[in-house]
Amino acid sequence: MKPDLFQAPDYYLLDELLSDEHKMVRDAAREWVKREVSPIIEDYAQKAQFPEQIIKGLADIGAFGPYIPEEYGGAGLDQISYGLIMQEIERGDSGVRSTASVQSSLVMYPIWKYGNEEQRIKYLPKLASGEFMGCFGLTEPDFGSNPSGMITNFKDMGDHYLLNGAKMWISNAPFADIAVVWAKDEKVRIHGLIVERGMEGFTTPETHNKWSLRASATGELIFDNVKVPKENLLPNKSGLGAPLGCLDSARYGIAWGAIGAAMDCYDTALRYAQERIQFDKPIAATQLQQKKLAEMITEITKAQLLTWRLGVLRNEGKATSAQISMAKRNNVDMAINIAREARQILGGMGITGEYSIMRHMMNLESVITYEGTHDIHLLITGMDITGHAAFK
């Protein structure tokens, strides 16, 4: 088992823009990843299994709802702290970050923002501690980039709602205790419902045979005449804007997380290039390898500046959905390109599980697609700057 020697690049001294609390939160997450994730993650990725024993550790470092107020069990941190935690977790593995992102932005966030006080008190503290794990049901077999076309629906039966439909590509589904599910009512209006494991007709079959996010549990949500109590409806926001508001928070976390994956690939490639001797000198002394490494650190630095500024805007309540889309698209594209270049620096060793690069590369193939594909985010920016929607 190789030691985790990761050293974070900070070419533009961005640490000077962070508060002491930001650095303390980040460093705690970084040390936890080195201690608890790095030593086991290659094995779990090979086995295509999520390491459920790390759930308590994720809760302990504040990865579940870091910006949720302390009165509901959260850490009460700001948006930059949230981003830094996601960065450090994805430096370990995108699948582990997915688990934390879903719990925070797609389960706790809508209950906090769109739920009532009874729902907040009932669910948020248990989600923050990891006693409950959650998932988010929006994507359907026939509706991904166009979620408004969903067919999952519920009917008012007097003393309860009757829910029918299916969701797929759902992170955390196989082990989730609750699901925040988006479905249409009889007026075709989208609402969020909290569905609990054990409700009759609710099943969560696991998705197998993935080549990406192998250390993350993915599944489906199947609703066959599920009776959902009326008190489980999220009352304070409806319409497509409700789930999209959750996705803004999650996409923001991804923008930070992708930097972590890129930093890990860069750090691994830099160290390897300095140690690998060919033609009587380290390959780091050759022009082509220096070109690759110089371009990597340039792109990482640009992404760090972009995302830090976005964090400031989020803290001030000024960040737009389009700005978040730009950061998600740019940073994931940056990370996947760096993973590919880093793999080349390592040559044949780059495809082995002895190094993290190939795992990051495979994971990022999912990250560049989920929560808004690369192309959809481009069209979001295009619509924002031109005023014309080009999705159809």
Side-chain angles (χ1 to χ4, degrees):
M1 189 179 295
K2 294 181 66 173
D4 185 341
L5 303 175
F6 174 72
Q7 291 184 302
D10 185 12
Y11 202 72
Y12 263 43
L13 306 182
L14 264 78
D15 267 20
E16 295 181 4
L17 299 175
L18 303 179
S19 69
D20 289 342
E21 182 178 63
H22 291 149
K23 288 180 278 192
M24 180 181 68
V25 167
R26 180 200 61 196
D27 293 348
R30 183 173 295 168
E31 290 307 310
W32 179 81
V33 167
K34 286 191 173 191
R35 186 176 65 252
E36 303 294 338
V37 177
S38 299
I40 66 168
I41 198 62
E42 299 297 344
D43 184 47
Y44 276 86
Q46 291 283 358
K47 294 188 297 186
Q49 182 181 343
F50 173 70
E52 292 191 35
Q53 71 273 19
I54 69 172
I55 287 174
K56 185 180 184 304
L58 284 166
D60 289 344
I61 63 169
F64 297 153
Y67 49 78
I68 298 293
E70 292 181 66
E71 63 188 288
Y72 302 120
L77 299 171
D78 74 351
Q79 290 292 307
I80 291 176
S81 292
Y82 166 52
L84 288 165
I85 293 170
M86 295 303 104
Q87 171 187 284
E88 295 305 314
I89 295 174
E90 190 147 0
R91 204 278 299 176
D93 187 75
S94 300
V96 177
R97 198 269 309 142
S98 292
T99 296
S101 278
V102 168
Q103 184 87 337
S104 297
S105 292
L106 302 183
V107 180
M108 298 179 73
Y109 180 90
I111 293 173
W112 173 44
K113 285 291 189 180
Y114 311 149
N116 57 36
E117 192 65 10
E118 290 76 17
Q119 291 166 340
R120 296 182 193 114
I121 291 169
K122 179 178 179 180
Y123 295 109
L124 291 179
K126 290 182 178 180
L127 289 163
S129 69
E131 180 182 346
F132 278 5
M133 294 299 294
C135 64
F136 177 86
L138 181 63
T139 299
E140 297 188 359
D142 295 318
F143 296 97
S145 295
N146 177 26
S148 63
M150 70 172 67
I151 59 175
T152 298
N153 65 90
F154 65 98
K155 295 179 180 178
D156 190 334
M157 306 303 289
D159 62 345
H160 65 274
Y161 297 120
L162 199 64
L163 177 66
N164 282 282
K167 305 290 184 177
M168 72 181 305
W169 303 121
I170 309 301
S171 295
N172 300 358
F175 58 76
D177 300 287
I178 68 170
V180 173
V181 178
W182 301 93
K184 290 179 177 176
D185 66 11
E186 290 157 288
K187 297 180 180 178
V188 201
R189 182 76 175 171
I190 295 171
H191 295 266
L193 297 161
I194 301 171
V195 181
E196 301 180 20
R197 185 171 295 281
M199 289 181 175
E200 187 176 353
F202 175 40
T203 55
T204 59
E206 186 163 3
T207 303
H208 296 289
N209 208 25
K210 297 182 301 177
W211 287 109
S212 181
L213 296 182
R214 289 175 60 83
S216 176
T218 309
E220 300 173 60
L221 305 177
I222 309 295
F223 314 106
D224 182 9
N225 288 322
V226 179
K227 294 180 179 179
V228 180
K230 286 197 165 181
E231 60 265 26
N232 284 29
L233 180 84
L234 297 177
N236 291 330
K237 192 172 179 65
S238 63
L240 188 59
L244 293 183
C246 306
L247 289 173
D248 273 353
S249 180
R251 291 163 176 169
Y252 168 75
I254 289 171
W256 280 92
I259 295 173
M263 291 196 305
D264 196 60
C265 292
Y266 166 78
D267 182 65
T268 301
L270 177 61
R271 186 175 296 104
Y272 186 90
Q274 291 168 330
E275 296 171 354
R276 175 68 168 168
I277 305 297
Q278 290 290 285
F279 305 107
D280 302 319
K281 65 180 180 181
I283 62 172
T286 65
Q287 289 185 0
L288 285 177
Q289 305 310 322
Q290 286 191 10
K291 176 181 184 294
K292 288 184 175 71
L293 292 164
E295 289 177 341
M296 286 182 198
I297 191 60
T298 301
E299 293 305 312
I300 288 171
T301 300
K302 286 156 63 177
Q304 287 175 318
L305 289 163
L306 177 70
T307 314
W308 172 81
R309 177 59 185 161
L310 184 61
V312 172
L313 292 174
R314 288 277 289 174
N315 280 340
E316 295 174 350
K318 296 178 181 177
T320 67
S321 296
Q323 289 169 336
I324 294 167
S325 282
M326 177 185 283
K328 191 270 186 182
R329 181 180 185 273
N330 178 82
N331 290 10
V332 180
D333 184 61
M334 171 276 299
I336 206 166
N337 288 328
I338 284 177
R340 290 167 180 158
E341 289 291 278
R343 208 288 304 158
Q344 290 200 62
I345 290 175
L346 267 68
M349 292 305 296
I351 70 165
T352 71
E354 186 175 349
Y355 296 93
S356 62
I357 292 172
M358 196 72 181
R359 176 171 50 81
H360 282 306
M361 191 190 306
M362 292 191 299
N363 285 342
L364 288 164
E365 289 291 348
S366 289
V367 182
I368 205 167
T369 294
Y370 69 25
E371 296 185 30
T373 68
H374 188 66
D375 293 340
I376 287 293
H377 284 299
L378 182 73
L379 294 179
I380 290 171
T381 302
M383 179 176 67
D384 191 52
I385 61 176
T386 67
H388 298 283
F391 297 104
K392 297 179 181 179

